[in-house]
């Protein structure tokens, strides 16, 4: 076994102490500056994010928003979509009715809407649901 000199013992002690001070990594949190929040209906928050030019033919820009529905919250019935969009459930579950056809949108489910599509969503569950929407604007 090797002898430990005073110098190497001090260096080892400093290394151990610096490791104890390092904070563990934390999950990314929601940056309130990243989006603008509005509450257009009871139990519903819409968080809008920036808009960027689109490389997809037929669409000039693309933007993103999260629609956060508390348990029991719902969006207006037969709302007409103003542009094409891609919707994705990131958390929870929603009951969606699109052009009169109902379907269950569970976590990680994705679907599309076209301009003029009639749709509404209801959170029938006991948990918060988040629908992420990518708006494709012509």
């Amino acid at each position: 076994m090797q002898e430990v000199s005073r110098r190497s013992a001090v260096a080892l002690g400093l290394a151990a102490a610096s490791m104890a001070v390092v904070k563990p990594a934390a999950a990314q949190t929601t940056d309130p500056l990243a989006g603008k929040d509005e509450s257009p209906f009871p139990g519903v928050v819409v968080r809008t994010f920036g808009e960027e030019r689109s490389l997809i033919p037929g669409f000039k820009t693309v933007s993103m928003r999260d629609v956060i529905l508390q348990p029991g919250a719902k969006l207006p019935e037969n709302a007409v979509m103003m542009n094409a969009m891609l919707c994705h459930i990131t958390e929870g579950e929603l009951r969606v009715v699109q052009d009169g056809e109902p379907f269950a949108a569970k976590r990680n489910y994705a679907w599309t809407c076209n301009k003029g599509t009639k749709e509404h969503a209801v959170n029938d569950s006991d948990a918060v649901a988040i629908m992420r929407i990518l708006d494709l604007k012509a």
Side-chain angles (χ1 to χ4, degrees), residues 74-87:
K74 60 184 175 179
L75 298 176
E77 290 190 29
N78 295 317
V80 178
M81 303 300 109
M82 301 305 291
N83 49 266
M85 58 187 72
L86 172 66
C87 302

Side-chain angles (χ1 to χ4, degrees), residues 104-132:
K106 297 182 180 187
R107 187 170 187 247
N108 289 326
Y109 184 78
W111 70 98
T112 59
C113 303
N114 204 354
K115 183 176 181 176
T117 301
K118 291 182 181 178
E119 183 178 289
H120 75 276
V122 179
N123 184 354
D124 292 326
S125 75
D126 294 331
V128 173
I130 301 173
M131 176 173 47
R132 175 152 292 162

Side-chain angles (χ1 to χ4, degrees), residues 33-82:
L33 300 177
K36 178 182 173 188
D37 288 359
E38 294 180 10
S39 186
F41 312 106
V44 177
V45 172
V46 178
R47 179 170 293 145
T48 56
F49 299 92
E51 187 170 276
E52 185 62 50
R53 70 181 182 93
S54 172
L55 298 178
I56 301 170
F59 300 104
K60 290 181 183 176
T61 61
V62 62
S63 63
M64 185 172 70
R65 58 193 159 116
D66 285 348
V67 180
I68 305 160
L69 291 93
Q70 297 296 321
K74 60 184 175 179
L75 298 176
E77 290 190 29
N78 295 317
V80 178
M81 303 300 109
M82 301 305 291

